[in-house]
């Protein structure tokens, strides 16, 4: 599904990696960053979480 979405106009698919061992810490940090980015860009974000 993500490869299909990546072909859509005006859509970006991002993969993150982190040295943090705590999945919950990583998720919180990423969601906070993503929310700030979406607000600055005046856009919407969808997260697919596989953890």
């Amino acid at each position: 599904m993500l490869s299909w979405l990546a072909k859509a106009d005006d859509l970006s698919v991002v993969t993150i990696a982190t040295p943090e061992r705590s999945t919950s810490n990583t998720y919180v940090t990423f969601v906070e960053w993503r929310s700030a980015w979406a607000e600055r860009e005046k856009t919407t974000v969808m997260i697919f979480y596989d953890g």
Side-chain angles (χ1 to χ4, degrees):
M1 181 166 94
L2 291 179
S3 14
W4 179 82
L5 285 172
K7 295 174 187 169
D9 291 338
D10 298 324
L11 182 87
S12 298
V13 174
V14 183
T15 301
I16 64 162
T18 178
E20 177 73 49
R21 292 188 56 84
S22 170
T23 303
S24 58
N25 288 346
T26 299
Y27 186 74
V28 167
T29 301
F30 177 65
V31 169
E32 288 171 352
W33 173 85
R34 179 247 348 145
S35 296
W37 176 87
E39 188 174 327
R40 281 192 314 274
E41 297 294 318
K42 296 181 178 33
T43 191
T44 305
V45 175
M46 181 186 313
I47 296 177
F48 291 90
Y49 179 68
D50 181 16

